[in-house]
Amino acid sequence: MLYLGGDKGWVRKELIKTAVGDPVAGPGGRGRGEPADPNAPPPPPRVNNGISGDARASTAELGKREFEMKIDYAVKQIQALLGGAKPQG
């Protein structure tokens, strides 16, 4: 969001230094910080502030990289679904 509209007021930049939310599941996790192992200790209590993970290191530059990666991946998926056909230009 910082990359797409950080200058438009979509992000409360003054709160980034405290932007820690609900834990993100690690490998094998079930999402929302829930352990996959029933014998594992319970996850920490949910924060429920709309943030997943730790957003304190967020920057517009990191957002741009993530956004471009998602676009590249989507284009590759579309090309694979079309049998590798490239658009006529």
Side-chain angles (χ1 to χ4, degrees):
M1 294 305 296
L2 283 170
Y3 169 61
L4 295 176
D7 57 341
K8 294 179 174 66
W10 298 348
V11 178
R12 292 178 285 177
K13 293 179 187 179
E14 70 279 4
L15 297 178
I16 291 176
K17 62 185 174 204
T18 61
V20 180
D22 294 323
V24 177
R30 296 183 179 176
R32 298 188 180 218
E34 298 172 16
D37 179 358
N39 297 317
R46 294 186 47 88
V47 179
N48 289 326
N49 61 0
I51 300 171
S52 295
D54 186 345
R56 293 176 293 184
S58 299
T59 65
E61 293 78 24
L62 288 173
K64 180 179 181 194
R65 287 174 52 191
E66 178 73 20
F67 187 76
E68 289 174 349
M69 286 171 38
K70 287 180 179 282
I71 296 297
D72 290 343
Y73 184 67
V75 168
K76 287 177 185 174
Q77 280 187 311
I78 291 168
Q79 288 174 340
L81 289 170
L82 295 175
K86 303 218 180 204
Q88 301 283 329

